[in-house]
Structures are given as C-alpha cells and as structure tokens.
Amino acid sequence: MSNNAISVEGVGKSFRLHRSGTRTVKSMALDILRRPGSGRKDFWALKDVSFKVPCGETLGIIGANGAGKSTLLSLLAGTKVPTTGRIEAKGTISSLLELGAGFHPDLTGRENVFLCGAIMGLTRRQMKERFDAIVSFAGLDEFIDQPVKHYSSGMYVRLGFAVAVEVDPDILLIDEVLAVGDVEFQRKCIDKMKAFREQGKTMLIISHDLGTIQRISDRILFLDEGTVQGIGDPDSVVSNYKSMARSKSVGGLDRVWGTGEVSLERVEFLAGDGSPTDTFSSGSGLLAKIFYKANMRVEDPVFGFSLADSEGRLIYGNNTQIEKFAIPSIEGEGTITLHLGELPMAAGTYLFSFSVHSADHRTNYHRLDNCFPIAVESTSSFEGVCFIPSRWEMGGTTSDKGEDNGPA
Amino acid sequence: MLSLIKEIRARRELLQILVGRNLKIRYKNSSLGFFWSLLSPLFLIVIYAVFLSLIRIPIDLPVLVSGIIVWQFLAMCLGDSLYAIVGNANLVTKAAFPRIILPLAMVGSNLVNFLLSCVVLFVYLIVAGADFGVVVALPFLVVTQAALCLGVALIFSTANVFFRDTEHILSIVMLAWFFLTPIIYDPDRVLTSPGFPGWVHVLFFANPMSGIVTAYRMILLSAQNPGTAHLCLSFGVAWAILCIGLMVFQKAQPRFGDEL
C-alpha cells in the first residue's frame, strides 16, 4: 500500500464556456438553429496535472490568478469531477475553500455549526463533543445563539475556520484564508496549521502570501495556465515563480529588433559573489554576462545597456563608447561582462535593455529593449526610485543617522 | 440504486438537519409560521368556491378543500425544486456530499408541512361531518404522492441548474397540470360525460395526480372508485416518474459543481 495521502494522475479539467453567458432553453434553441455546437467552447482549466502528496506533508500551491489553483482544490474536495485522469485521496477531507460558505444567514451560529458538521459527514454526537472547542476557538461564546446574519464578517470567518479545523480531518484543503481576519486571528490560524502539521496531517494550501506559504510548506507546487511548472523545495519554486511573474509583468514594454550582424544570444545575471540570480538586494553589486555571436567580422562595435523601472521609465544607461572601453573588432562567439557597483534602487522590479550597435550609431545590430527583468529587494524605506546618500544637520550639530538609511 | 439508498442512509443526519433547516427558515422561527403556510391554500379555496358558485358549477366544499390541500403538496415541491440545487450553490460548490440529499430534504420538509395541513384537513372534515373511507390506506397514498413529488422535483431541480429559464416552463406546466387534475371539478365529469371515449379516460389517469387526488377523496370522503385499473395506472406512472427523475439526476449531478 502506498504512503500517499493524495495521488493525482494526469488530471485535466475542461469547462464548457457558453457564448450566451447563463444558458437558457431559449439560448440553446437559438444556438442550435444558428449552427449546432457553435454556442460553446471548451476551456481547459487544468491540463495533465500529476503529483503525489505523501501522508503528513504540507503542500503549498502557488500561481497567478486563473492558473487553476482553486479548480485543483475543488477537484480534490470532490465538488468538481475531473474531465480526464484520476484522483485518489486517503482519509477524510475537510476544505476551507471559502470560510463559512455553507452558513445560512437565518440560522444561529449553533445551528450552522451542526449543519456544517453534518455536511462534512460527522454525526451529531461527534459534533457535540467538538462544539465547545469550536466556540472557544472562534471566540464567539456570547453570540453563538444569534442568527449569523448579525455576525461581522470577521466573526463569520472565525466560526468557519473553527468548524473546518475542529472536525479533525485527515486532509485539510485551505484556499486563501490567510488573507482574511485580523492579525491576531491569522496568527491563531497559522498556529493551528502548525499543530496540524505536527499531528502528521496532510495539508494543501493556496495562498498569494508567498512569505507565509514558503515558511509553512514542505514542498510547493507551482501552477501556470493549468499545467504544473514545478514542484519541490519551497525556496527554489518560489523564486522560479517570482522570475516568471516578473517576465510576465514586463508585458508590452519588451521589444527586440536589429539588423543581425551581431546577435545577443543570452544574458546571465550574477550577484557580486558570482552566483547566478535575478534577485538582488539594494546596495549590492550586479554582473551581467552577455553572450554574443558575430556572424561576420564587425569593426568598432559598441555594447550598451540601460535600466528602467517596471513602467519603462529610464533610470540609467551607458555604453562601451561612453566608458571609453574600446573594442577593435569581434567575430564569432564571445562574452562581455557589465559590472554595476552598487544598485541604488528601491525595492521593485526593474528592466534591463542591452544593445550592440555601430560606433556611429547608424546601424543597430541587435537591441533587446526591456527584455530582462530583475528584482531588487530592500529593507530600508525611502521615497522615490533611487537611494542618494544623505544626512541631516540641525543648528551646528551633525547627525549620523543618515547612514542607517542606506541600502541594506 | 442500492448503493444510492446506502449513501442516503449514511447521511441521514444531514438529511434531518436540512429538513429542520428548511422548516425553520420557512416558518422564520415563529410558532404561527405554519399557519401562515395555510394561508395560500385557504385563499385558493375561497377564490375557487366563489368563482365556481358564480358560474354555477356545483362542487362540494370538502371535495374542493381536499383537492387543493393535496395539490398544494405537489405545487410547493415543484416551486421549491427550482432552488433545491441552485439555492444551495454555496454547499454544492464547497463540499462533497450526495447531491440527492438536497431535493430529498426539500421534499421532506414539504411532506412535514403537508402532514400538518392534513391534521387541519381532518379537523375540518370531522366538523363538516365527512364520511371517511379506508383510512389505513392513507400512508401508502402519501408515500406514492411523495415519490411523485420527488421524481418531478429531481427533474426540475436538475433542469434549473442547466437552464435558468426553467421557471417559465415550470409555471406553464403547473397551470396545465392543475386543470388536468380533478381538483376544482369532480372526475365524474370526465368519466361519465358521453363526449369522452374510453381512451380519454386512460389518458386522464395517466396523469398520476388524477388517481392520487381521487384516491385521497375515496379515503377521506368515500368518493366513488373510478376503476382500480385507472388508479393503478396513476400510481404506476407516479413511481415511474420517480425512477426517471432519479436517473436524470444521478446522470447530471457530477456536472453541478461546474455549472453553478
């Protein structure tokens, strides 16, 4: 017998999109009259997804909006049926897909708790045993016999979470719950999840809060447009996800052009210590290693770069000509490396452009505008794009505090 | 089919809680709530009693009252069936449980409501000095009507998931069904009229409600037996509709989560 709590094999899920929005008998009849089958289109929310979750593992699921995360969880929860493939789950599943979703506004908290328990398949006796724990976890002692329509949204969510965790499932599915509730309640939730983990329960968590999901997960699954882009160690998967999200955020600003005598094949970004990365901390150094290929002998080529913010506003740029770095000629393949001393920018995404052109600027051999996103992380806070060393002076005394504002 | 019954048995507590919830919401937690639910059949009775006497169609008040009360059970189930699944979309899309529990609970709560109405009906009939028939057959009849109600509710609750204009179709169906059933008239008008040959009688009792309403009147008012074969036809159609409803519902229910 396998030791997997969940195994997903080649799962695909297609939805039928109707041209006319909500479907009615009338619209269906009209569609048939127009052209049979023309009123619908299939949309694959998930394609060939396979993974296994061993018992006791906490798996985080990340991806952009519309990547198929929630669809995946609803397949696991059994509220949707996969179009292709197989899903096997061992043990009871409780889902926090939407906290308090099953609550009826006219019923009291107490009645809703028993209703939820029954929906999750617990007997009345089992629910009675858990009832006090649920009420105290939710902190609703005074209000439990009030109709839930009088609850605040926070109370609603707390009760929903309390029910879902106290039913004590073998597998817990959590969709974006860390985003709700106050700080105090979020801490309680995370504590509860940790306790769950220590008890050896299996959890699947969806969240856009990458920091938390990275901390709490054993492994992370990265979904993009319905396919698995990676599964494994949280740090590396999250950094892949961030790179991908950045390349997408470049959207529309990137442009590639040129005559082609020389082509820029690829660019590698290295940290000051020489390790490849595309995330830099503010104030650290950056190396960009440019791999070029000259298809013929080219005299006096000029290599240039520029750096822009995520909206394409130019921050800085220069080239080998300005820097008086003479390159007599190039032919065949080679590399040229750009060294940047200290990145002075605030935290954010920045876009590198690289170019190679003739000394008289008449011929652009190859230009890659805004094609290379990098991330800058910073712990210091200041207004604007760039850090400028500064200090304050009052009367005649000098403050040294300015130094603390420097890049981390 | 056997596995379905097993599934429902396993979740009977959920069924109970949902029936309780439906009743509580309908009566809005007020003790007078049930009497409010008698208001609409009462209005129907008054309207038809006045209307029929105005156009000089003779009908016994007990016949009319029993007909309306019995019809009301089906009418409520049909009306509620539209929302049995769609109205519980939050449960259907968020939790996995046998979907059939939802229409079942809806029919269950209407059954409770109907049984309470029957108590009122009995009191009225005793006061009116009705001549009761074989009252022990009543449970069988109620079960048969409940089966019919569940059958049609399954079909319409499924239809409304996929086609949101089911409502309009249903109101036409209900109007036609009401007048094809001997509620505000005596079945004898059809059976003894020389204009209607034998096959019309068969067609008339192919409407399961014709046989059911007539059978209620046989039990409650010692009405005349329209022919055992006719009654059996009605009852058979009622159970057949339940089977069709179950097949339609079970076939469609995996897709509910996608459509809601």
Side-chain angles (χ1 to χ4, degrees):
Chain A
M1 200 154 125
S2 73
N3 204 25
N4 290 318
I6 294 171
S7 83
V8 174
E9 279 169 47
V11 164
K13 176 71 187 168
S14 80
F15 289 104
R16 193 155 280 181
L17 299 180
H18 299 289
R19 186 198 278 158
S20 35
T22 47
R23 195 157 47 136
T24 59
V25 173
K26 191 183 84 185
S27 73
M28 188 181 72
L30 287 176
D31 283 340
I32 289 171
L33 286 178
R34 279 187 198 120
R35 192 184 303 156
S38 69
R40 54 182 199 235
K41 220 177 91 198
D42 283 345
F43 163 74
W44 287 85
L46 288 173
K47 279 166 289 189
D48 197 29
V49 172
S50 300
F51 64 93
K52 287 183 166 61
V53 186
C55 284
E57 185 178 76
T58 301
L59 181 74
I61 301 173
I62 57 174
N65 289 331
K69 304 185 298 286
S70 298
T71 303
L72 180 59
L73 276 209
S74 37
L75 293 179
L76 293 170
T79 61
K80 290 192 172 85
V81 181
T83 314
T84 62
R86 258 165 19 117
I87 291 180
E88 273 174 54
K90 217 159 58 187
T92 55
I93 298 181
S94 167
S95 64
L96 277 74
L97 297 189
E98 202 171 286
L99 290 173
F103 290 171
H104 194 287
D106 281 331
L107 299 182
T108 67
R110 183 188 300 272
E111 288 162 346
N112 271 311
V113 166
F114 280 96
L115 175 59
C116 273
I119 285 167
M120 290 179 188
L122 271 76
T123 64
R124 207 179 293 250
R125 218 188 60 224
Q126 285 171 310
M127 275 318 276
K128 271 189 185 135
E129 288 164 9
R130 290 163 169 80
F131 186 73
D132 290 332
I134 290 171
V135 175
S136 76
F137 185 82
L140 286 172
D141 308 73
E142 295 167 54
F143 303 100
I144 197 68
D145 286 312
Q146 293 284 318
V148 297
K149 64 182 169 193
H150 298 313
Y151 283 20
S152 71
S153 56
M155 288 156 80
Y156 216 84
V157 166
R158 285 196 324 253
L159 191 60
F161 187 86
V163 173
V165 295
E166 293 295 340
V167 298
D168 201 24
D170 299 318
I171 301 168
L172 186 64
L173 308 177
I174 305 170
D175 188 352
E176 221 26 278
V177 294
L178 301 169
V180 295
D182 54 19
V183 179
E184 163 66 14
F185 184 69
Q186 281 190 20
R187 195 188 50 74
K188 236 168 148 180
C189 291
I190 289 173
D191 286 349
K192 194 80 197 178
M193 286 186 210
K194 282 182 183 150
F196 240 78
R197 205 174 152 178
E198 278 153 23
Q199 287 166 34
K201 309 255 177 179
T202 310
M203 273 192 289
L204 274 79
I205 306 174
I206 291 182
S207 181
H208 288 290
D209 178 358
L210 294 174
T212 309
I213 205 165
Q214 213 170 337
R215 264 200 313 284
I216 206 164
S217 306
D218 297 312
R219 282 195 307 161
I220 287 187
L221 175 77
F222 169 21
L223 276 180
D224 187 59
E225 288 175 0
T227 56
V228 177
Q229 293 294 319
I231 181 166
D233 167 59
D235 296 336
S236 66
V237 176
V238 167
S239 97
N240 281 347
Y241 170 63
K242 283 181 177 165
S243 311
M244 189 140 170
R246 267 199 303 282
S247 349
K248 282 196 176 167
S249 72
V250 175
L253 292 168
D254 54 321
R255 184 164 165 239
V256 177
W257 52 295
T259 51
E261 286 88 339
V262 185
S263 64
L264 302 174
E265 303 284 292
R266 64 192 171 92
V267 179
E268 243 175 38
F269 290 96
L270 310 168
D273 61 5
S275 57
T277 178
D278 58 359
T279 305
F280 302 88
S281 50
S282 186
S284 71
L286 177 152
L287 275 69
K289 200 170 182 185
I290 303 159
F291 293 77
Y292 67 82
K293 186 173 162 197
N295 297 319
M296 55 175 72
R297 190 180 163 82
V298 176
E299 308 284 341
D300 285 334
V302 176
F303 286 87
F305 86 98
S306 72
L307 188 58
D309 70 6
S310 58
E311 280 156 43
R313 280 187 294 254
L314 186 65
I315 294 170
Y316 182 75
N318 78 17
N319 60 35
T320 50
Q321 198 174 37
I322 297 168
E323 295 278 306
K324 301 200 167 45
F325 180 76
I327 308 168
S329 69
I330 50 170
E331 192 173 5
E333 293 183 17
T335 62
I336 179 165
T337 304
L338 166 74
H339 291 255
L340 292 184
E342 288 179 3
L343 293 172
M345 293 94 76
T349 299
Y350 295 91
L351 305 170
F352 264 104
S353 305
F354 293 100
S355 64
V356 53
H357 51 81
S358 62
D360 59 2
H361 291 248
R362 290 255 170 83
T363 317
N364 287 298
Y365 302 131
H366 199 190
R367 296 193 75 112
L368 301 163
D369 294 345
N370 298 325
C371 289
F372 304 93
I374 62 156
V376 173
E377 287 170 347
S378 169
T379 50
S380 64
S381 60
F382 53 81
E383 298 282 321
V385 186
C386 271
F387 175 75
I388 297 174
S390 59
R391 64 190 179 87
W392 293 87
E393 202 176 277
M394 199 180 197
T397 52
T398 310
S399 113
D400 292 329
K401 291 275 164 152
E403 294 298 304
D404 291 346
N405 252 350
Chain B
M1 186 62 97
L2 212 65
S3 68
L4 184 65
I5 293 169
K6 246 188 194 156
E7 250 182 276
I8 295 167
R9 262 187 69 84
R11 303 305 290 268
R12 60 184 182 279
E13 284 211 352
L14 174 60
L15 186 59
Q16 280 170 17
I17 289 178
L18 284 172
V19 169
R21 179 196 77 165
N22 291 351
L23 289 172
K24 222 169 267 174
I25 292 162
R26 170 168 303 156
Y27 302 151
K28 290 273 186 298
N29 292 319
S30 85
S31 47
L32 273 178
F34 164 66
F35 290 96
W36 285 119
S37 75
L38 281 180
L39 216 57
S40 74
L42 199 68
F43 265 121
L44 275 179
I45 290 162
V46 171
I47 290 165
Y48 281 112
V50 170
F51 168 75
L52 292 173
S53 70
L54 279 178
I55 60 167
R56 294 174 204 292
I57 291 180
I59 186 157
D60 257 0
L61 201 54
V63 170
L64 179 65
V65 171
S66 57
I68 295 268
I69 297 274
V70 168
W71 170 257
Q72 200 67 13
F73 178 27
L74 179 78
M76 301 263 271
C77 286
L78 277 172
D80 289 351
S81 71
L82 293 175
Y83 307 103
I85 301 296
V86 173
N88 287 302
N90 52 359
L91 296 184
V92 175
T93 54
K94 300 296 180 241
F97 58 92
R99 305 308 188 207
I100 198 162
I101 298 277
L102 291 170
L104 208 55
M106 183 277 290
V107 171
S109 53
N110 278 316
L111 178 63
V112 171
N113 195 60
F114 172 62
L115 293 176
L116 289 171
S117 319
C118 279
V119 174
V120 178
L121 178 65
F122 263 98
V123 173
Y124 162 74
L125 291 177
I126 290 166
V127 172
D131 178 15
F132 287 100
V134 200
V135 181
V136 284
L138 201 57
F140 165 75
L141 196 53
V142 173
V143 169
T144 302
Q145 196 190 354
L148 170 67
C149 288
L150 181 61
V152 287
L154 288 172
I155 293 167
F156 280 102
S157 58
T158 305
N160 201 37
V161 172
F162 298 99
F163 308 108
R164 296 303 164 88
D165 57 353
T166 305
E167 199 178 335
H168 307 298
I169 295 163
L170 179 63
S171 61
I172 297 165
V173 169
M174 280 175 73
L175 192 65
W177 204 349
F178 180 82
F179 286 105
L180 287 172
T181 306
I183 298 164
I184 58 162
Y185 56 89
D186 211 298
D188 286 350
R189 291 180 83 83
V190 175
L191 293 174
T192 57
S193 161
F196 294 128
W199 62 268
V200 174
H201 298 177
V202 173
L203 217 56
F204 185 67
F205 281 98
N207 165 12
M209 278 307 279
S210 292
I212 287 171
V213 169
T214 310
Y216 272 110
R217 285 183 184 141
M218 284 165 62
I219 291 170
L220 299 174
L221 305 166
S222 295
Q224 209 188 335
N225 185 345
T228 313
H230 284 149
L231 290 182
C232 288
L233 172 63
S234 281
F235 297 160
V237 172
W239 287 97
I241 287 177
L242 175 63
C243 292
I244 294 168
L246 284 171
M247 283 192 294
V248 168
F249 189 87
Q250 287 303 101
K251 182 118 178 50
Q253 57 97 1
R255 283 178 57 208
F256 286 173
D258 298 352
E259 295 286 335
L260 291 172

